[in-house]
Amino acid sequence: MRRVRNFGRNVAFVPDAHYRPGSVAEVLECLRRHGGAKVRCIGAGHSWSRILATDGVLLDLGALDGVAIESGSLARVGAGCTLKRLLNVLGRDGLTLPSLGAITKQTIAGAVSTGTHGSGSHSLSHFVEELRVAHAAGGEEIIAGGAGLAAARCGLGALGVILDLAVRVVPRYRVEERFENIERLGDVLRDKAAWPLQQFALVPWSWRYLVWRRRRTLARGSRIGAWLARLYLAVFNDVLLHWLLKHVLLRLSDARMRAFYGMLGRWMRWSPPRIDDSVRVLTLRHDLFRHVEMELFVPGSRIEEAAGALREIVELAGGTRKQCSDALRRSLAAAGLEEEVADLRGTWTQHYPLFFRRVLADDALVSMAADGERAGDDWYSISFFTYRQVEVRFARFARTVARCILLLYRGRLHWGKYFPVTMAEAALSYPRFDEFKRIAEAYDPARAFWSENL
Ligand SMILES: Cc1cc2nc3c(=O)[nH]c(=O)nc-3n(C[C@H](O)[C@H](O)[C@H](O)COP(=O)(O)OP(=O)(O)OC[C@H]3O[C@@H](n4cnc5c(N)ncnc54)[C@H](O)[C@@H]3O)c2cc1C
């Protein structure tokens, strides 16, 4: 049987059987034929966690990609439809999705199954109103309300095969974007009410924040300006900077790499201001250069504390700091992490900015932005990228950083990204995880779709 690999090439597996059914009837037939076997679906394979891996039956629903707009606010979408295709179809009717991540390669079922999100809105899962799901025995049912819907909205592939789903849609809108280079996180956050869609990056080794201030606008802006900005960003950001990183920067010594980022953080003061269609502003071609990403979620109320701690840990791992501050050491000691963090010293030099996005609380059971200790709190996600092949040094660094975020802030890990802890460790941060598990078992008593594989 053919080996299957994910986008990041950090996950590979050989399923026992691999199907690409052409219709719902064929999906149900596959399930009946393999009754009792372990089953997983695969979307576009853009997850970096093992959530898509199986040694059982693998179903690819790429052929089920129909889109029907049911009203001005709801679309029914085949599970295997990519976000790109969905946005194109919606766009023709003057509609779009209420929430968007950085790229549009994912399938709708894959994206909602892991709580895919952008900045300044809820995750896509939050906007799912109904799902049609096939069971292991080959039957199907609609999940349309109550705790079942809250579980299925971000279902981790555990409730059955999503055949299609109904998702809320909104009229197309434009976004205004301005760029700023800011020294202090407090100043970045202070303007979040005026720029609710903003996202920002902390440039390591300069420790400055690059901020993409963003908000919806009714203004039209200049069409030529928008086209020039698209061209500039595609060439400079999406291609040139990433090409440089892959082919030049990663070959330099750690000290030179740090010097480069020191300069980038200080010098990068301009990016074209623009007003353009939301899809153009909110997405980019981050899929052009292969990489691996881990994304951590922290309650909004603790973001400044967490950002400070992460900076100290990155500096320690990079060898530019001897030890963490007294305050952080006390917190680490209380969580039993002091030695583990100290052992990172000089083992890993971070070679990409840390990206921050704000995600509003979801009405879902276990999406990363589902309610935590304080109901309705928003969340900040912090992404760590590596453009090196994943090996022991990154794996150790990522695991320790993830454990710090989990244990110090009851933080969470993106289910679809690099996942260096066990499901049991991750589940502790979700007050409703046991309820999720019970609901998944009710839909899937034989546990054909359950996987601890993350
Ligand atoms: C370059 C890049 C950029 C990204 N940017 C973002 C971002 O901005 N924000 C963000 O939140 N995430 C982002 N991601 C992560 C990505 O959105 C998620 O990992 C998403 O789950 C991938 O969708 P997919 O279609 O590739 O699904 P896969 O990775 O193939 O599968 C994901 C999960 O969905 C399940 N699944 C798929 N189809 C079905 C089905 N029909 N029925 C039941 N379960 C199903 C699978 O079993 C698996 O558990 C990015 C990933 C990449 C590679």
Side-chain angles (χ1 to χ4, degrees):
M1 190 46 64
R2 196 168 60 88
R3 199 158 74 115
V4 180
R5 292 197 293 178
N6 66 339
F7 163 88
R9 300 281 192 265
N10 65 312
V11 173
F13 58 99
V14 182
D16 215 23
H18 189 167
Y19 297 101
R20 187 179 162 90
S23 63
V24 168
E26 283 180 32
V27 175
L28 301 179
E29 168 54 26
C30 281
L31 291 169
R32 281 187 212 114
R33 195 179 319 146
H34 289 278
K38 281 280 187 191
V39 182
R40 280 265 105 182
C41 291
I42 188 159
H46 273 48
S47 292
W48 285 282
S49 65
R50 293 192 64 81
I51 196 163
L52 44 62
T54 183
D55 53 9
V57 178
L58 187 68
L59 295 180
D60 170 353
L61 270 67
L64 275 63
D65 65 349
V67 179
I69 298 170
E70 298 200 334
S71 70
S73 59
L74 203 69
R76 186 163 298 277
V77 191
C81 182
T82 61
L83 299 183
K84 184 171 182 189
R85 177 174 141 68
L86 174 57
L87 289 164
N88 284 340
V89 177
L90 294 176
R92 279 184 234 134
D93 274 32
L95 298 169
T96 191
L97 289 169
S99 171
L100 270 183
I103 61 159
T104 57
K105 296 272 170 154
Q106 310 93 319
T107 62
I108 187 77
V112 305
S113 294
T114 63
T116 293
H117 66 93
S119 193
S121 179
H122 307 274
S123 76
L124 258 180
S125 303
H126 178 84
F127 298 103
V128 174
E129 291 296 328
E130 191 179 294
L131 302 97
R132 186 157 60 118
V133 171
H135 299 307
E140 56 175 285
E141 95 178 77
I142 306 271
I143 305 178
L149 178 62
R153 277 184 168 149
C154 175
L156 315 181
L159 275 72
V161 179
I162 300 170
L163 300 167
D164 52 47
L165 55 83
V167 63
R168 267 186 270 163
V169 294
V170 294
R172 274 173 81 164
Y173 59 95
R174 284 185 296 281
V175 172
E176 174 187 0
E177 178 180 81
R178 284 193 205 157
F179 177 80
E180 285 180 48
N181 182 317
I182 293 177
E183 194 177 334
R184 285 169 12 92
L185 180 54
D187 295 330
V188 177
L189 300 176
R190 206 176 32 237
D191 283 340
K192 78 174 183 214
W195 299 95
L197 305 180
Q198 73 176 15
Q199 64 174 25
F200 50 95
L202 174 60
V203 183
W205 320 116
S206 76
W207 307 111
R208 296 189 66 90
Y209 290 91
L210 307 183
V211 187
W212 287 268
R213 303 279 201 200
R214 288 173 178 168
R215 62 183 165 203
R216 285 179 183 231
T217 181
L218 294 175
R220 301 209 80 79
S222 144
R223 273 183 92 123
I224 297 181
W227 273 97
L228 288 175
R230 282 183 202 177
L231 185 68
Y232 172 88
L233 292 166
V235 173
F236 184 72
N237 275 13
D238 297 357
V239 178
L240 200 64
L241 267 183
H242 289 86
W243 186 89
L244 255 176
L245 168 66
K246 264 218 128 134
H247 297 287
V248 181
L249 214 57
L250 289 183
R251 297 190 181 159
L252 298 180
S253 67
D254 288 350
R256 289 206 165 135
M257 190 184 321
R258 285 197 291 269
F260 170 84
Y261 275 112
M263 283 187 320
L264 184 80
R266 279 192 300 278
W267 289 356
M268 196 167 153
R269 301 258 159 177
W270 187 84
S271 179
R274 55 175 168 161
I275 293 178
D276 205 342
D277 183 73
S278 58
V279 178
R280 295 291 185 168
V281 180
L282 303 180
T283 65
L284 72 165
R285 291 304 309 277
H286 213 214
D287 51 310
L288 290 179
F289 293 87
R290 207 172 295 292
H291 59 275
V292 170
E293 178 186 345
M294 172 176 77
E295 191 173 27
L296 309 163
F297 280 67
V298 178
S301 51
R302 305 197 67 185
I303 184 60
E304 292 194 65
E305 209 184 316
L310 287 174
R311 172 178 170 173
E312 288 192 34
I313 296 170
V314 170
E315 287 178 323
L316 186 91
T320 61
R321 170 186 274 276
K322 284 206 173 72
Q323 58 179 21
C324 294
S325 61
D326 289 346
L328 181 56
R329 279 189 9 236
R330 274 196 299 278
S331 308
L332 291 171
L337 289 163
E338 196 178 2
E339 258 182 54
E340 189 176 329
V341 170
D343 284 349
L344 284 182
R345 197 168 151 217
T347 60
W348 174 257
T349 299
Q350 183 61 28
H351 58 263
Y352 200 82
L354 277 51
F355 267 82
F356 291 67
R357 294 182 282 182
R358 187 164 73 103
V359 191
L360 308 186
D362 284 340
D363 187 4
L365 291 193
V366 298
S367 76
M368 297 78 70
D371 277 343
E373 278 168 351
R374 284 173 29 180
D377 222 2
D378 56 3
W379 290 79
Y380 272 91
S381 78
I382 309 162
S383 288
F384 283 79
F385 297 83
T386 176
Y387 281 74
R388 296 187 196 280
Q389 223 168 3
V390 173
E391 33 73 8
V392 172
R393 289 178 317 147
F394 177 74
R396 255 188 71 200
F397 170 76
R399 177 165 164 79
T400 299
V401 168
R403 276 168 46 75
C404 289
I405 291 296
L406 294 184
L407 296 174
L408 298 183
Y409 311 108
R410 287 210 97 189
R412 296 169 175 174
L413 266 87
H414 193 306
W415 296 109
K417 301 203 175 173
Y418 184 71
F419 211 87
V421 301
T422 62
M423 189 186 235
E425 286 172 293
L428 292 175
S429 301
Y430 292 89
R432 298 180 74 183
F433 197 84
D434 287 341
E435 185 183 351
F436 173 76
K437 229 171 152 173
R438 277 196 303 278
I439 292 172
E441 267 171 28
Y443 284 103
D444 175 32
R447 293 168 66 94
F449 298 100
W450 186 261
S451 167
E452 301 277 334
N453 238 355
L454 284 165

